[in-house]
Amino acid sequence: NSYFEYTLSLVTGKNDSTGNNNSYVGSFGIHYKWVPQSRSKYRTFDWKTELYYSYFESPGQNISSTGFYTSVHNKLNARIWIGGRIGYSELPYDDRQNEWDYTVCLDYWQSEFVFFRFQYQYNRRNIDNMMGLPGDYPSDHSFVIQISWAMGPHKHEAY
């Protein structure tokens, strides 16, 4: 009925034109999914969380930044999902500046191939002088309506 999945990632690369400075980004994630046997069409719970760490080398100083997100999605019945997400991240080039994001969404699955999502997101930012641009980077609210559908050949399945 349920499972855990763990992920570990690391990426590195040069971050300047001289090739003398590197950046490193790593993450550790956990994913839990519960799908009750014989009721998967009507009930599912999905939780994901991931922690991030970055290390940015520069001539003046080296910067360590962190971040995370956690999200949950819960299937209420055969067609309706409700979900939420919280995230936090520090800027990779300035760990004193950061952003929090809060999201809630409602999904309606008309079929396996068509779904509608209604999503609200609030971003609270503590960011000024972003990438050399003067002034504060403002916090904001957004509302998204998403429609997704699949077309084309697919295998036939029993519904």
Side-chain angles (χ1 to χ4, degrees), residues 6-142:
Y6 302 95
T7 59
L8 186 61
S9 303
L10 178 66
V11 65
T12 185
K14 304 290 183 193
N15 66 24
D16 65 347
S17 59
T18 64
N20 296 326
N21 298 309
N22 294 310
S23 288
Y24 307 91
V25 178
S27 71
F28 172 72
I30 299 172
H31 179 197
Y32 171 75
K33 189 163 192 167
W34 172 72
V35 183
Q37 193 173 17
S38 75
R39 299 223 0 109
S40 62
K41 184 176 179 180
Y42 303 100
R43 297 292 302 159
T44 299
F45 179 79
D46 198 2
W47 170 66
K48 295 178 184 175
T49 195
E50 197 162 5
L51 307 170
Y52 299 98
Y53 175 80
S54 72
Y55 187 77
F56 179 83
E57 295 177 347
S58 66
Q61 64 179 346
N62 297 332
I63 300 168
S64 298
S65 299
T66 59
F68 81 93
Y69 79 88
T70 189
S71 70
V72 295
H73 280 90
N74 190 21
K75 191 176 201 180
L76 301 177
N77 60 38
R79 297 181 186 248
I80 307 271
W81 288 75
I82 191 166
R85 179 187 188 281
I86 296 174
Y88 170 80
S89 61
E90 297 169 345
L91 298 184
Y93 53 85
D94 185 352
D95 59 354
R96 294 166 294 156
Q97 299 187 70
N98 58 60
E99 176 176 7
W100 283 91
D101 67 88
Y102 309 93
T103 303
V104 292
C105 63
L106 178 69
D107 297 353
Y108 173 74
W109 287 80
Q110 179 184 348
S111 73
E112 180 183 3
F113 307 105
V114 179
F115 86 88
F116 301 87
R117 172 172 289 158
F118 303 93
Q119 176 177 300
Y120 168 77
Q121 181 170 341
Y122 172 65
N123 294 78
R124 186 176 54 127
R125 297 183 176 104
N126 177 23
I127 299 174
D128 60 1
N129 196 23
M130 183 171 178
M131 300 296 288
L133 299 173
D136 292 341
Y137 198 68
S139 298
D140 64 15
H141 302 267
S142 60

